[in-house]
Amino acid sequence: MSDRASDTVTTQRVTILLLTLAVSVVFVGMIRDFLVSLFLAAVFSGLAYPVYKKILFRTGGRTSASAAVTLLGLVSIVLVPMLILLNLIAVQAYELSQDLIPWIERELDSPQDLELQLPLWFPFRNEIEGSSQQIASKVGEFASKAGAFIVEGLSAATLGTAHFFLQLFVMLYAMFFFLREGAAAVEKLIGYSPLPRDVQELLIEKGLSVTRATLKGSVVIGLVQGVLGGVAFAVAGIQGAAFWGAVMAVASVIPSVGTAIVWVPAVIYLLATGEIGSGVGLGLWCAVVVGGVDNLLRPVLVGGDTKMPDILILVSTFGGLALFGISGLIIGPVIAALFATMWEIYYETFRDLLTQEGSERSES
């Protein structure tokens, strides 16, 4: 090929590349409001794909019917109960935040009116009673701010806004497409990428494995602990039990501390107000049952999937909450899983080169 022909081909390729990038940027900007919905749809579709494959076998290979049945089952079993629960959490969070603001103002104006009387056997009794006003006001401020945050994150669902239902429709429709066309779409994406096929397959395999382990190990277990904790709070007569259960679900990702950051102050409050039976019962239930859920369910749910370090799950969960709101509970750990997977693939790809360079530096 002559130099002139080669220059022409290069110019054409550069032009096509620039046009593709320009159109892609415009397209992504156009659908930016739906990117979170599409991302969640891809994650949920990947998790539901094994169920879809089983239904596909039973339907004789009817892809559309299998995707519809899978989606209908997920909506009936997971989505509808979840929306009902989110509505209850948002209502209680709003009521709790509204009730606590006047209470905090009153206590700050006259803190001497609040006196906690702990049992004589309670650890650090004198220290806690001496700081009862400060503890109560700080707990109240935390509950108020947490309630406002949850209300803001869930208000779209509870108020039934058109934007929320549009996002929900896009997510469900995208899930139907991903389930039906998932294998073909992945194969096409592999063809577009310049990466070696084995690297792309490893990325998909490891990414799905880490994502499954992360979501099962944090989201599912957190939800179970939150539900069990919320039920216990309701039985103990604590206001806003569903709200506190939601806070416990989020707090469950904190290593070593977990849900105790929520239920221990509640136990102290019950004991301090004379509810000895409720306080002891709540403490035993949360310590034994809620705390034991992690040890019981994690081996079953995670299994052989690759697990991310606890610190990475922690920072990605809170980082996702800060960046994406409530959806960040899922998006944050998934992005962290992809981050960990990419660095693992990077190391595997360049291990020989990195090892060689490290040896040369050691010798010099």
Side-chain angles (χ1 to χ4, degrees):
M1 181 182 294
S2 64
D3 293 341
R4 185 172 182 178
S6 177
D7 291 342
T8 301
V9 171
T10 301
T11 302
Q12 290 175 347
R13 288 179 175 177
V14 170
T15 303
I16 291 174
L17 177 61
L18 292 176
L19 285 174
T20 303
L21 290 175
V23 173
S24 299
V25 169
V26 173
F27 176 76
V28 171
M30 181 180 65
I31 66 167
R32 64 184 183 279
D33 290 340
F34 302 107
L35 291 178
V36 171
S37 298
L38 293 173
F39 187 85
L40 292 175
V43 171
F44 294 148
S45 298
L47 295 177
Y49 200 74
V51 177
Y52 165 77
K53 294 290 288 185
K54 293 180 180 180
I55 297 176
L56 184 65
F57 176 77
R58 293 183 177 275
T59 58
R62 295 180 177 86
T63 56
S64 296
S66 300
V69 171
T70 304
L71 201 58
L72 183 61
L74 291 174
V75 169
S76 303
I77 299 173
V78 178
L79 184 60
V80 172
M82 186 64 66
L83 288 178
I84 295 174
L85 179 60
L86 291 178
N87 178 74
L88 177 61
I89 292 171
V91 170
Q92 290 193 1
Y94 176 78
E95 294 175 349
L96 201 59
S97 63
Q98 295 302 307
D99 291 342
L100 283 171
I101 291 175
W103 182 84
I104 294 172
E105 293 176 348
R106 287 198 304 270
E107 296 305 325
L108 292 177
D109 291 337
S110 54
Q112 67 279 359
D113 295 338
L114 180 64
E115 293 293 338
L116 299 182
Q117 299 295 326
L118 295 174
L120 296 176
W121 51 264
F122 198 84
F124 307 107
R125 172 177 174 268
N126 294 331
E127 289 80 358
I128 293 176
E129 288 185 348
S131 305
S132 59
Q133 292 87 2
Q134 294 88 337
I135 294 174
S137 63
K138 291 299 181 183
V139 171
E141 289 178 10
F142 167 76
S144 179
K145 291 179 180 179
F149 173 79
I150 291 182
V151 168
E152 181 181 353
L154 300 178
S155 60
T158 57
L159 296 177
T161 61
H163 182 264
F164 168 78
F165 285 106
L166 178 61
Q167 296 283 352
L168 181 62
F169 172 77
V170 170
M171 187 187 76
L172 294 177
Y173 189 85
M175 286 184 64
F176 175 82
F177 173 81
F178 291 151
L179 289 171
R180 188 185 65 182
E181 308 290 345
V186 169
E187 190 66 26
K188 197 167 187 178
L189 288 174
I190 289 178
Y192 284 145
S193 175
L195 294 174
R197 187 179 183 87
D198 59 337
V199 173
Q200 296 184 64
E201 291 176 349
L202 179 62
L203 174 61
I204 294 172
E205 178 186 352
K206 294 289 293 182
L208 287 176
S209 176
V210 176
T211 299
R212 279 196 303 266
T214 302
L215 293 182
K216 290 177 181 179
S218 57
V219 177
V220 176
I221 293 176
L223 287 174
V224 174
Q225 290 183 313
V227 170
L228 292 175
V231 170
F233 273 48
V235 173
I238 296 178
Q239 182 184 1
F243 162 74
W244 291 117
V247 177
M248 291 175 72
V250 176
S252 66
V253 303
I254 303 177
S256 302
V257 180
T259 58
I261 198 173
V262 180
W263 63 261
V264 167
V267 170
I268 294 175
Y269 169 78
L270 290 173
L271 295 176
T273 54
E275 301 289 340
I276 306 298
S278 297
V280 173
L282 179 64
L284 290 175
W285 174 267
C286 291
V288 177
V289 178
V290 178
V293 163
D294 186 85
N295 296 328
L296 181 65
L297 292 183
R298 190 175 296 276
V300 177
L301 292 176
V302 176
D305 288 330
T306 306
K307 181 180 178 295
M308 281 199 306
D310 289 337
I311 184 61
L312 196 56
I313 296 176
L314 172 68
V315 296
S316 64
T317 299
F318 290 132
L321 279 170
L323 188 59
F324 300 104
I326 297 299
S327 300
L329 286 173
I330 297 174
I331 297 176
V334 170
I335 293 177
L338 295 176
F339 168 81
T341 302
M342 282 305 305
W343 275 102
E344 184 175 345
I345 291 175
Y346 165 81
Y347 176 75
E348 292 295 329
T349 303
F350 298 99
R351 177 168 52 184
D352 295 338
L353 180 60
L354 294 172
T355 305
Q356 180 181 355
E357 291 182 352
S359 301
E360 293 176 353
R361 285 195 296 268
S362 299
E363 293 175 359
S364 61

